[in-house]
Amino acid sequence: MILRTRLLTVTTAVAAATSMMAATATFAADKLMAPPVNTLSPQQSSGLVATLTAMDAAHGLAPDLSFRLSSLHPGVVGQKIVRAQHTYKGLRVFGSESVIVTNAAGSIVSVSASERRNKLGTGLAPSAVSDLVPTLSAGDAITVAVNSIAPRGTHRWEPSAELLLYPIVKTERVPSAAGKPESELNALDLQEVVERYELAYYVKLRLALDGKPLYYDTVVNARNGNIIAQWQALKTVVGTGNSQYNGVVPINTSQSGGGYQMLDDTRGIGGKYGGMAITNANHSSANNPDPGNIYTNSTNTWGDGQQYINGGSTTNANGQTAAVNALWGLMNTYDTNKNALGWHSLDGNNTATYIAAHVDTQYDNAFYDDSCKCMYIGDGDSFYSLGSIDVIGHEMSHGVTASTADLVYSGESGGLNESNSDIGGEMVEAYARAGGTGTTIPASGNDWMMGKEISKSGQPLRWLYKPSKDGRSPDAWSSSIKYLDVHYSSGPNNRMFYFLSQGSSSDPGSDYYSKYLVKNPPAMTGIGSDKAYRIWFKSLTTKFTSSTNYADARSKVLASAQELYGAGSKEVIAVTRAYAAINVGADIDESTTGGGDVTITTQPANVTVTPGATASFNVGASGGTQPYSYKWFRDGSEIAGANAPAYSLTAQASDNGATFNAVVSDASSPVKSATSAKAMLTVRSGGGPDLVTNGGFENGTTGWRGTTGVIGDFEGQSPYEGTRYAWLGGNGRYAIETLTQSVTIPAGAASATLTYALHIDTDEVKPFPYDKLTVSVRSSTGSVLRTLATYTNLDAADGYQIRTFDLSAYKGRTVTLSFIMREDRSKQTSFVLDNVSLIAQ
């Protein structure tokens, strides 16, 4: 099987089937997300659903499948992130959904999906309308759920019951792992397969009993009332572990009458209090805590920095300290995500939140409640006050998860939910400890231990770098991890993130060692907290779905790293190794960087063009001491101003036969240099100028729009000429990818001839056109003027084939050359494109 290693088996961007693809945005390192966005109009919503449905119909999916848009968040500037639930005959399919990124024109830029609907309409689900009618009412289902948890409990929030289709999923081994011992299984050795579907109610209960919140989600069979699944839904910081933490800190308050109040109206809008607020729950019962009123004070000096004295006032200096902890933590959580990532508040749309301090009496808990999108903090008994900076960052990160991926709080997805909060807590701590300013996450400052400050014993709740130190959390993935409490199944992903940020150790006796890192060097290199958090946060907000597990997380984190930092980058390598370190995917070698002599790793390649076309030469190097400097030579003479890794020129007939090479020098003293091989430029005789810019892809993405991540030099395919090409497909899973380029054909041209080289290979074995590449000419508005060719997996052949088309009918017009690839849900087909040329003469 050939899977394109440039994506490491990850689906990348897709394009709208009915409109021309707009340029893929470049994710800037200093800003990930845009400011809050407006909601979609009814026309935009219905148009997007229609486009998605048409795309599915083209792949032969059951006509009763559709979409229900559920949320909207900002993406990078000019983009929106839309989450769409999958439906069947109008009912939601639990855990099956798509995350769609759209551009300013409303066209689809990318889709990331969890597919749990692929067997609907195949006999595994109800097909007749009568089969979708429940025997139980919603009230009956709620009663069943309540009786299973706490019949005497009181409802903190109104219960709900949603009728839906619940996929019963089983775990199977992939064929290559059929004979592996259980102890040797890797996360990628298993796959989740839908066994059947049940008509069910998804019941959400937010109960309280005897001072304890009982938040549970329950799936009840709508036919017979049996409980299919149930999991705890309260996002609480307290796991199994056993501060006045920050000294004198600045807090942002506002004036109220002749005094002050803990209302920060500069961070967030709307919400319950019109800004970010800290309130006094004043020991109201955890059964049904009342957040109370916003803290007020006659002066703007708050707290005494001491642990709350049980039974004392909650409003004097001692009682205010818990509120100071809360406000400082909440301010830094907001600022970390906004200043470093561009994400506003919990939902990305800058909706204000609040924290209520002094919940209950000697209450050993802090929790996030999604019903109010707020947090409650207890004063502690076995613990100190539970308002440390990492605990607040942790709980508020649950709010980010709830507003985006909404990872189901059970099994592997639940572990990832908890891990995201631990990661968020540590990143907020690092940002706050460094002064709480700037646009990057500091490389140090946090302790990589969750809740150490609130512990009276000094033992943290969790160790991110070595989860097993708590005696219950595993250090690596195993097939049994989905059965653990989510506070423990989070452990491996926490460790992954630590390694991604900080690196590992090669000493088997170290807490930072992983036996799964078997490539070179044995100690992997970290990329720092800032890059690690950007990659992780992008994955959470634009790719993860509610049912994402460890294997799926790996593929989507790799995709994010590639989109942010490029295929083959050290960041992508680090992600691969960090997941390998926790037994999710295989380990790889790191590229050698630094030390030794400079060596040429990418030689300039021969180029053939027509007069007037752009010819590009590229060189790559390794070793020595970076940064490198470059000098390009033509026929042995230095080219003035040519000092980049790539050199391009507009070729003329007189350039035919010229040779080009580069000298790469490092920054050491004395300087080390390496000289590349010579590459020859061939300029075709006759014909007019080539109207296609960078048709050989040697100059990267220049001239092309769409899914430009398919352009490059990747392991697994070879170019027709030069070193680069466009590899459309090759994913082995659902994907749509597009490349387009606008060209103007002169009105006076006698002819206009389009040619390109195309290689097709496939793993499909059945004689059915599963995967497809469509080549067309489109108008400036995206309408199809002519479909030139359609290729499928049935057209696979050895080597490249040259394709030629007459486009003289479009003389005097500006048209768009469009290449759209659609791949189904299994068995890859690769459409490798090179040497695209349009000659008018």
Side-chain angles (χ1 to χ4, degrees):
M1 176 187 294
I2 296 177
L3 287 175
R4 54 183 187 190
T5 53
R6 63 183 175 83
L7 290 183
L8 301 161
T9 73
V10 186
T11 301
T12 56
V14 303
T18 58
S19 64
M20 183 176 64
M21 186 72 176
T24 299
T26 300
F27 293 97
D30 63 343
K31 193 66 67 177
L32 185 60
M33 297 297 179
V37 294
N38 295 323
T39 58
L40 296 178
S41 68
Q43 294 79 8
Q44 290 172 321
S45 297
S46 60
L48 181 57
V49 169
T51 297
L52 293 169
T53 304
M55 290 163 59
D56 275 352
H59 285 79
L61 266 69
D64 291 318
L65 293 170
S66 189
F67 299 84
R68 180 188 302 158
L69 305 187
S70 59
S71 64
L72 175 70
H73 305 288
V76 296
V77 175
Q79 295 184 355
K80 296 178 181 179
I81 305 165
V82 183
R83 291 181 175 265
Q85 300 165 342
H86 298 166
T87 64
Y88 177 72
K89 295 183 182 292
L91 292 179
R92 178 164 75 96
V93 182
F94 186 88
S96 191
E97 57 207 45
S98 296
V99 187
I100 308 104
V101 179
T102 63
N103 62 18
S107 299
I108 297 176
V109 174
S110 69
V111 172
S112 174
S114 289
E115 294 285 355
R116 293 191 170 185
R117 56 174 178 169
N118 53 315
K119 293 187 178 181
L120 283 163
T122 62
L124 293 180
S127 55
V129 174
S130 59
D131 294 335
L132 298 177
V133 178
T135 301
L136 273 69
S137 68
D140 293 334
I142 290 172
T143 300
V144 168
V146 169
N147 288 337
S148 72
I149 300 169
R152 296 186 297 106
T154 59
H155 292 288
R156 285 211 58 227
W157 306 97
E158 189 71 23
S160 65
E162 176 192 3
L163 186 66
L164 45 67
L165 288 175
Y166 188 81
I168 305 299
V169 178
K170 63 180 179 179
T171 301
E172 294 182 347
R173 297 188 178 200
V174 299
S176 60
K180 269 191 177 183
E182 185 77 17
S183 60
E184 296 179 10
L185 287 176
N186 184 281
L188 303 192
D189 290 332
L190 302 180
Q191 58 185 348
E192 293 182 339
V193 178
V194 175
E195 191 173 36
R196 69 182 190 278
Y197 299 86
E198 296 286 358
L199 184 67
Y201 285 103
Y202 176 40
V203 181
K204 291 185 177 183
L205 297 179
R206 305 300 181 251
L207 299 167
L209 179 66
D210 298 332
K212 182 180 179 181
L214 298 173
Y215 287 20
Y216 279 85
D217 291 348
T218 307
V219 181
V220 179
N221 190 304
R223 295 286 186 176
N224 56 30
N226 291 336
I227 293 178
I228 299 172
Q230 188 174 75
W231 56 88
Q232 189 174 9
L234 184 68
K235 281 75 174 182
T236 170
V237 69
V238 176
T240 59
N242 312 295
S243 41
Q244 303 339 39
Y245 315 113
N246 313 306
V248 178
V249 296
I251 56 175
N252 203 38
T253 60
S254 56
Q255 288 189 315
S256 175
Y260 300 86
Q261 60 179 342
M262 281 193 175
L263 175 65
D264 182 355
D265 55 10
T266 69
R267 291 174 172 88
I269 59 176
K272 183 177 178 66
Y273 297 103
M276 194 167 68
I278 308 300
T279 66
N280 183 8
N282 199 26
H283 305 309
S284 64
S285 170
N287 268 356
N288 190 16
D290 181 351
N293 298 319
I294 298 175
Y295 261 93
T296 60
N297 199 26
S298 59
T299 72
N300 211 12
T301 299
W302 306 74
D304 65 358
Q306 303 300 310
Q307 167 67 19
Y308 174 70
I309 300 172
N310 183 42
S313 168
T314 58
T315 58
N316 66 7
N318 180 247
Q320 293 169 2
T321 299
V324 172
N325 295 338
L327 183 53
W328 193 69
L330 189 53
M331 287 169 54
N332 276 283
T333 301
Y334 182 97
D335 290 350
T336 300
N337 290 332
K338 178 180 180 293
N339 297 342
L341 304 174
W343 187 260
H344 294 67
S345 195
L346 305 183
D347 59 1
N349 286 318
N350 209 31
T351 304
T353 184
Y354 65 93
I355 296 178
H358 297 298
V359 173
D360 221 308
T361 301
Q362 294 182 287
Y363 187 54
D364 269 331
N365 206 352
F367 61 91
Y368 174 79
D369 189 338
D370 195 48
S371 301
C372 60
K373 303 188 185 305
C374 67
M375 178 181 176
Y376 291 93
I377 296 176
D379 295 321
D381 182 16
S382 300
F383 293 92
Y384 295 117
S385 174
L386 285 94
S388 64
I389 185 69
D390 57 351
V391 169
I392 291 174
H394 173 105
E395 293 302 330
M396 291 294 105
S397 293
H398 277 307
V400 177
T401 302
S403 298
T404 56
D406 200 20
L407 290 156
V408 173
Y409 207 55
S410 174
E412 291 190 26
S413 61
L416 294 174
N417 190 318
E418 270 298 310
S419 178
N420 175 68
S421 285
D422 282 351
I423 291 168
E426 289 302 306
M427 295 301 94
V428 170
E429 182 179 28
Y431 190 80
R433 299 291 186 219
T437 60
T439 59
T440 59
I441 306 295
S444 61
N446 58 307
D447 57 13
W448 297 102
M449 292 180 282
M450 176 53 55
K452 186 176 186 299
E453 290 177 320
I454 67 172
S455 171
K456 289 186 175 180
S457 69
Q459 297 297 301
L461 301 174
R462 287 181 288 282
W463 288 260
L464 273 73
Y465 57 87
K466 181 72 170 176
S468 61
K469 288 174 75 70
D470 67 6
R472 298 191 181 188
S473 299
D475 289 334
W477 178 93
S478 70
S479 59
S480 62
I481 195 172
K482 62 184 177 182
Y483 303 113
L484 297 177
D485 180 276
V486 295
H487 294 90
Y488 308 139
S489 60
S490 62
N493 197 74
N494 283 349
R495 197 173 206 221
M496 178 285 300
F497 188 83
Y498 177 86
F499 285 153
L500 179 61
S501 171
Q502 304 294 305
S504 69
S505 170
S506 59
D507 178 5
S510 169
D511 284 342
Y512 310 97
Y513 171 78
S514 169
K515 69 178 183 179
Y516 298 102
L517 291 176
V518 296
K519 296 294 186 178
N520 290 314
M524 71 162 286
T525 304
I527 59 175
S529 294
D530 186 68
K531 287 184 176 180
Y533 194 40
R534 293 179 191 282
I535 292 169
W536 175 259
F537 197 86
K538 183 177 193 299
S539 306
L540 175 81
T541 55
T542 70
K543 299 187 184 300
F544 284 8
T545 65
S546 63
S547 57
T548 288
N549 60 14
Y550 268 80
D552 190 41
R554 173 189 180 272
S555 70
K556 289 171 178 175
V557 174
L558 281 167
S560 295
Q562 184 185 46
E563 291 171 14
L564 283 170
Y565 300 106
S569 64
K570 66 179 181 181
E571 292 80 9
V572 169
I573 293 171
V575 169
T576 306
R577 299 206 73 191
Y579 270 105
I582 62 165
N583 198 30
V584 181
D587 194 18
I588 60 174
D589 290 321
E590 289 182 26
S591 298
T592 301
T593 57
D597 294 329
V598 178
T599 59
I600 302 298
T601 57
T602 301
Q603 297 285 358
N606 296 333
V607 176
T608 301
V609 296
T610 56
T614 299
S616 298
F617 301 92
N618 297 270
V619 67
S622 66
T625 302
Q626 297 189 35
Y628 299 133
S629 60
Y630 303 84
K631 292 181 180 179
W632 283 91
F633 295 81
R634 173 179 173 144
D635 296 332
S637 299
E638 184 177 347
I639 304 170
N643 52 13
Y647 172 69
S648 301
L649 74 157
T650 301
Q652 306 299 328
S654 58
D655 295 321
N656 187 50
T659 59
F660 297 83
N661 70 286
V663 174
V664 183
S665 302
D666 75 350
S668 64
S669 179
V671 173
K672 300 172 184 177
S673 300
T675 302
S676 76
K678 293 182 178 181
M680 179 176 289
L681 172 61
T682 300
V683 183
R684 298 170 183 161
S685 60
D690 193 343
L691 303 179
V692 175
T693 300
N694 187 31
F697 306 104
E698 299 305 314
N699 200 26
T701 63
T702 301
W704 294 98
R705 306 176 72 183
T707 318
T708 53
V710 303
I711 297 172
D713 174 13
F714 312 112
E715 181 181 351
Q717 296 290 350
S718 300
Y720 174 76
E721 186 176 74
T723 61
R724 299 187 181 187
Y725 45 86
W727 187 351
L728 296 147
N731 299 285
R733 61 192 301 175
Y734 180 81
I736 299 178
E737 298 166 340
T738 297
L739 283 179
T740 66
Q741 184 170 145
S742 177
V743 296
T744 301
I745 303 176
S751 64
T753 304
L754 172 69
T755 63
Y756 52 84
L758 181 65
H759 166 63
I760 305 173
D761 64 60
T762 187
D763 288 338
E764 299 285 4
V765 294
K766 294 182 179 180
F768 187 83
Y770 293 105
D771 309 315
K772 182 187 301 184
L773 173 69
T774 301
V775 185
S776 61
V777 179
R778 294 172 176 259
S779 69
S780 57
T781 61
S783 300
V784 176
L785 300 175
R786 176 187 169 191
T787 298
L788 301 177
T790 299
Y791 310 99
T792 72
N793 48 282
L794 301 179
D795 298 310
D798 293 335
Y800 280 87
Q801 308 293 317
I802 305 300
R803 313 290 182 171
T804 304
F805 302 91
D806 181 10
L807 300 189
S808 57
Y810 307 105
K811 292 185 295 183
R813 297 187 61 175
T814 297
V815 297
T816 297
L817 305 178
S818 173
F819 300 85
I820 298 179
M821 186 286 308
R822 296 179 177 85
E823 196 171 12
D824 73 353
R825 288 160 175 76
S826 63
K827 292 187 171 59
Q828 72 87 28
T829 299
S830 296
F831 301 91
V832 189
L833 183 68
D834 204 351
N835 272 35
V836 183
S837 175
L838 177 55
I839 303 297
Q841 57 181 347

